[in-house]
């Protein structure tokens, strides 16, 4: 299955949520998965979109560490430490975060905050709805500095 990646830059949390909704359409899943995508410093999405199937209900910190290694490999040629690792946790069931979903967000915070700072995000796709599971502080910092430098 090939999913076309839009060329329009993503410049806000709302735009990122909309992008995930478009990419994951329809937002209904038979099993749990984690989708990985990367945004370059200019907001453009890289052509790499990775679905990880059969993700367990509860987080695995070793798995999160392996994702960090994959992120570093993909991000290096695109912009290194300025590349946003955008993730979408997809699962069957009703919309709205569950205790398991919040545990995944906590595991990502534990591992990724120290390594990536504000350069990661997590959305939830369930029950036909996509919503952010974490605050995304990436956009105001990154694009304000890009715009300031362009003046």
């Amino acid at each position: 299955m090939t999913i076309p990646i839009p060329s329009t830059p993503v410049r806000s949390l709302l735009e990122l949520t909309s992008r995930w909704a478009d990419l994951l359409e329809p937002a209904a899943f038979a099993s749990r998965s984690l989708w990985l995508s990367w945004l370059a410093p200019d907001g453009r999405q890289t052509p790499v979109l990775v679905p990880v199937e059969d993700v367990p209900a509860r987080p695995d910190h070793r798995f999160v560490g392996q994702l960090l290694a994959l992120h570093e490999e993909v991000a290096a040629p695109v912009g290194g430490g300025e590349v946003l690792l955008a993730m979408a946790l997809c699962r069957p069931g009703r919309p709205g975060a569950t205790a398991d979903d919040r545990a995944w967000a906590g595991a990502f915070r534990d591992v990724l905050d120290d390594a990536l700072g504000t350069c990661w995000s997590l959305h939830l796709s369930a029950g036909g709805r996509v919503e952010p599971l974490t605050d995304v502080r990436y956009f105001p910092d990154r694009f304000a500095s890009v715009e300031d430098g362009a003046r």
Side-chain angles (χ1 to χ4, degrees):
M1 172 175 71
T2 301
I3 298 174
I5 304 296
S7 61
T8 307
V10 173
R11 298 193 183 272
S12 70
L13 174 58
L14 181 61
E15 289 178 7
L16 181 57
T17 302
S18 179
R19 175 68 52 93
W20 276 123
D22 291 345
L23 291 171
L24 299 172
E25 178 68 30
F29 298 88
S31 63
R32 193 175 279 272
S33 61
L34 180 70
W35 289 69
L36 310 172
S37 181
W38 290 266
L39 298 179
D42 66 359
R44 295 197 188 279
Q45 188 173 355
T46 70
V48 180
L49 182 64
V50 178
V52 179
E53 302 295 333
D54 300 320
V55 173
R58 299 295 295 178
D60 176 342
H61 280 75
R62 188 178 58 108
F63 171 76
V64 177
Q66 293 169 339
L67 289 180
L68 180 57
L70 174 62
H71 165 73
E72 290 168 353
E73 186 177 316
V74 172
V78 179
E82 298 294 311
V83 174
L84 177 74
L85 169 59
M87 300 176 289
L89 180 63
C90 306
R91 63 163 174 76
R94 306 184 97 166
T98 65
D100 289 341
D101 301 331
R102 287 187 291 276
W104 271 105
F108 285 121
R109 273 188 207 94
D110 290 348
V111 175
L112 299 181
D113 273 357
D114 286 340
L116 302 179
T118 63
C119 291
W120 70 277
S121 69
L122 180 63
H123 278 72
L124 171 67
S125 180
R129 191 168 80 197
V130 176
E131 62 187 83
L133 273 180
T134 57
D135 292 331
V136 180
R137 303 163 305 214
Y138 178 83
F139 298 105
D141 296 342
R142 298 299 179 260
F143 294 113
S145 63
V146 168
E147 291 168 6
D148 289 344
R151 292 181 193 173

